[in-house]
């Protein structure tokens, strides 16, 4: 086997929360009269909540915002976002994702999550993957957001497997950069794959079962 472990990003790889993130940020931005569109939204993939807010505020033209106000805006977005997450269920875990995870595990690979999201435990519970992964490294245990490699390096440490033996799976360019900065190879999906950011740029997550064989 070419790898001992696979570290998965969550949003946009294991489940499709992108639209929920977009709608919640859009409502917050509209309320503040800040222009916000899907192009700006693409820059938020993999980026922490507070760093995402700073990117959105690049287009803000009003009086300076205090740290308290910024925290309140981020909270407003997160409250709206969590309302959408509450509607999620195991039906939101696609067959191809679950079958691929099970196939990789049956091949003897250790499986981990490496996500910037502080909502990771809640999302995993909603989609029925609570307790499924051998390690969960998320926004609650890091100090630096992707493209910093911290979240993936922590996942490898939790697994007790050297970074070079871990494959990262990502849909964000910032996430692919984070994997590479951690000395890992990266298989990309979605936006990151379209940008050619990965060592492999996949059309389907099912391709992983061949990639890990080398
Ligand atoms: C990442 C998403 O997984 O998590 C980003 O791609 C998001 O868009 C980030 O900003 C932080 O998420 P949360 O749930 O902690 O606000
Ligand atoms: Mg993602």
């Amino acid at each position: 086997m070419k790898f001992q472990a696979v570290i998965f990003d969550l949003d946009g790889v294991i489940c499709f929360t992108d639209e929920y993130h977009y709608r919640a940020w859009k409502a917050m931005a509209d309320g503040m009269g800040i222009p916000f569109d899907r192009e700006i939204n693409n820059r938020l993939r993999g980026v922490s909540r507070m760093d995402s807010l700073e990117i959105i505020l690049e287009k803000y033209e009003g009086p300076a915002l205090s740290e308290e106000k910024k925290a309140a805006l981020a909270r407003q977005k997160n409250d709206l976002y969590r309302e959408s997450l509450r509607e999620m269920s195991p039906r939101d875990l696609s067959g191809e994702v679950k079958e691929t995870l099970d196939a990789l595990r049956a091949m003897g690979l250790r499986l981990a999550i490496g996500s910037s999201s502080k909502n990771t435990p809640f999302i995993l519970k909603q989609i029925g993957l609570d307790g499924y992964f051998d390690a969960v490294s998320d926004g609650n245990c890091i100090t630096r957001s992707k493209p910093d490699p911290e979240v993936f390096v922590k996942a490898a440490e939790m697994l007790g497997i050297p970074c070079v033996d871990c494959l990262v799976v990502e849909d964000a360019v910032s996430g692919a950069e984070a994997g590479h900065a951690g000395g890992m190879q990266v298989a990309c999906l979605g936006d990151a794959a379209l940008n050619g950011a990965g060592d492999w740029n996949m059309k389907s997550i099912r391709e992983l079962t061949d990639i890990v064989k080398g």
Side-chain angles (χ1 to χ4, degrees):
M1 210 64 74
K2 190 172 165 66
F3 298 98
Q4 290 186 51
V6 185
I7 306 175
F8 293 88
D9 172 50
L10 180 65
D11 292 310
V13 170
I14 298 293
C15 60
F16 301 93
T17 45
D18 315 41
E19 188 63 22
Y20 303 150
H21 275 296
Y22 172 73
R23 284 191 219 146
W25 280 128
K26 178 78 179 144
M28 187 285 292
D30 285 353
M32 291 287 290
I34 304 169
F36 180 70
D37 57 21
R38 288 183 189 270
E39 206 178 314
I40 301 172
N41 188 57
N42 261 342
R43 292 175 56 206
L44 311 184
R45 284 176 202 280
V47 177
S48 74
R49 197 180 308 160
M50 292 312 287
D51 289 350
S52 296
L53 178 65
E54 291 299 339
I55 291 173
I56 293 169
L57 291 178
E58 286 171 10
K59 296 251 189 265
Y60 171 70
E61 288 178 343
L65 300 174
S66 65
E67 290 310 310
E68 289 74 27
K69 178 65 181 170
K70 288 183 185 177
L73 291 174
R75 207 162 40 240
Q76 182 195 333
K77 180 267 174 175
N78 195 50
D79 288 348
L80 273 177
Y81 176 58
R82 281 182 71 101
E83 269 177 36
S84 306
L85 296 183
R86 268 190 280 280
E87 303 296 315
M88 289 183 91
S89 75
R91 281 192 307 276
D92 290 293
L93 179 63
S94 74
E96 70 168 359
V97 170
K98 186 61 168 58
E99 284 154 26
T100 302
L101 291 172
D102 289 344
L104 294 169
R105 173 154 286 159
M107 290 163 84
L109 287 141
R110 310 283 307 285
L111 308 180
I113 290 288
S115 167
S116 303
S117 173
K118 294 187 172 177
N119 289 300
T120 296
F122 185 47
I123 295 171
L124 290 178
K125 187 160 167 282
Q126 291 300 88
I127 61 176
L129 287 182
D130 195 19
Y132 181 90
F133 290 92
D134 301 302
V136 175
S137 173
D138 65 26
N140 300 294
C141 57
I142 55 169
T143 54
R144 296 178 303 277
S145 169
K146 299 170 187 177
D148 189 284
E150 184 180 12
V151 76
F152 293 133
V153 172
K154 282 237 163 98
E157 277 170 12
M158 288 176 187
L159 293 171
I161 293 176
C163 288
V164 288
D165 295 320
C166 297
L167 174 68
V168 162
V169 186
E170 261 294 347
D171 73 311
V173 173
S174 65
E177 288 169 358
H180 286 142
M184 303 172 193
Q185 288 189 283
V186 183
C188 285
L189 284 164
D191 188 61
L194 290 175
N195 280 286
D199 301 285
W200 295 271
N201 294 295
M202 306 182 290
K203 288 204 166 61
S204 160
I205 196 167
R206 288 192 197 277
E207 293 171 45
L208 284 176
T209 50
D210 283 334
I211 291 172
V212 295
K213 286 184 202 153

